[in-house]
Amino acid sequence: MIKVLLVDDQSLIRQGLRALLELEPDLEIVGEAENGEIALDIISQLEPDVVLMDMRMPIMDGVAATKEIQKRFQGVKVLVLTTFDDEEYVKAALQYGAMGYLLKDTPSEELAVAVRAVQKGYTQLGPGIVKKLLTEFQPPAPNQTPTIPPSLAELTPREKEVLLLIATGANNREIAQQLYISEGTVKNHVTNILNRLHLRDRTQAAIIANTYLSYLNNAI
């Protein structure tokens, strides 16, 4: 059973999420919080596996709460629930260790799948916002020639294939199946990619892959 904590300052949102997720036999809603401060106070008692985290909340927002959760509660995964207007919040939350984000209007079955994936340690990137999340890897204007980071150009063809699949949200097993290689080999490629690109995690890798998608497609 995957234990889920709902954190959102709007009670109607929390009630809706609870109603949807409680239909899933392997998900248990263990609690609710209306801001990050309350969430931090109850996590040690409730021991959730996944926190569904709103971004804009009074007292303590989702970014600050995510940062504290990663500091104080090892093993608790944060999945951001957001809107198109929250890209700066989302970027900050990802930098502080959130496992990914979904839009608040994500269908319930997709939300349940994402919760399961995040609990297993897989990154989840929802649609729409990912291209807005970069500052250090801004895509060029349409009339400009892309400037490809040297470290990205130095990836091997196989590493570029793995990076593209990371961008789709595929986990190591799915990548291994698609490329007909072992999961151990995939793990080695992921480690090499993160080291070469000086990235912290798969979320950052997925973001840079989406930004330079055209280049990567042409380079393999």
Side-chain angles (χ1 to χ4, degrees):
M1 186 71 71
I2 300 174
K3 296 186 290 186
V4 181
L5 174 63
L6 306 177
V7 185
D8 195 296
D9 64 324
Q10 298 184 46
S11 60
L12 286 177
I13 296 293
R14 299 197 306 271
Q15 291 171 16
L17 290 171
R18 176 182 284 274
L20 292 173
L21 294 178
E22 283 185 337
L23 296 175
E24 303 294 328
D26 60 333
L27 303 183
E28 178 187 2
I29 308 302
V30 295
E32 301 179 16
E34 62 188 43
N35 59 61
E37 186 174 279
I38 294 174
L40 292 171
D41 287 341
I42 63 177
I43 282 177
S44 58
Q45 173 188 351
L46 300 178
E47 298 183 340
D49 300 300
V50 177
V51 177
L52 289 182
M53 183 75 74
D54 186 26
M55 287 288 93
R56 301 191 187 194
M57 297 179 290
I59 303 177
M60 178 181 283
D61 65 21
V63 175
T66 297
K67 183 178 181 180
E68 287 301 311
I69 288 172
Q70 296 308 305
K71 283 183 179 179
R72 295 160 52 179
F73 303 103
Q74 291 187 352
V76 177
K77 309 296 196 306
V78 176
L79 178 60
V80 171
L81 290 180
T82 185
T83 69
F84 279 109
D85 296 328
D86 286 346
E87 61 265 19
E88 290 303 319
Y89 285 88
V90 174
K91 180 182 175 184
L94 294 175
Q95 290 173 336
Y96 286 130
M99 294 297 295
Y101 72 89
L102 291 175
L103 298 177
K104 286 189 175 181
D105 59 358
T106 297
S108 58
E109 61 272 15
E110 293 182 22
L111 178 58
V113 169
V115 170
R116 297 184 186 105
V118 164
Q119 189 270 334
K120 294 178 181 178
Y122 302 132
T123 300
Q124 293 294 304
L125 295 179
I129 300 178
V130 67
K131 292 182 180 180
K132 300 181 181 180
L133 294 180
L134 292 170
T135 54
E136 63 270 36
F137 300 117
Q138 285 291 346
N143 60 345
Q144 293 179 329
T145 301
T147 300
I148 304 303
S151 55
L152 189 64
E154 291 170 3
L155 295 180
T156 67
R158 179 63 88 190
E159 288 168 348
K160 291 167 185 170
E161 289 179 322
V162 171
L163 182 57
L164 281 172
L165 290 171
I166 289 174
T168 69
N171 60 43
N172 286 353
R173 178 177 298 179
E174 292 166 339
I175 294 173
Q177 291 173 345
Q178 291 193 51
L179 298 182
Y180 300 99
I181 56 180
S182 69
E183 285 190 61
T185 300
V186 173
K187 290 180 182 178
N188 290 336
H189 284 315
V190 172
T191 299
N192 290 339
I193 289 167
L194 297 181
N195 289 337
R196 285 174 185 262
L197 301 183
H198 308 290
L199 302 175
R200 185 185 64 247
D201 53 33
R202 295 170 74 103
T203 299
Q204 291 186 339
I207 291 173
I208 191 173
N210 274 279
T211 303
Y212 292 102
L213 187 60
S214 176
Y215 162 75
L216 288 170
N217 276 318
N218 293 329
I220 59 176

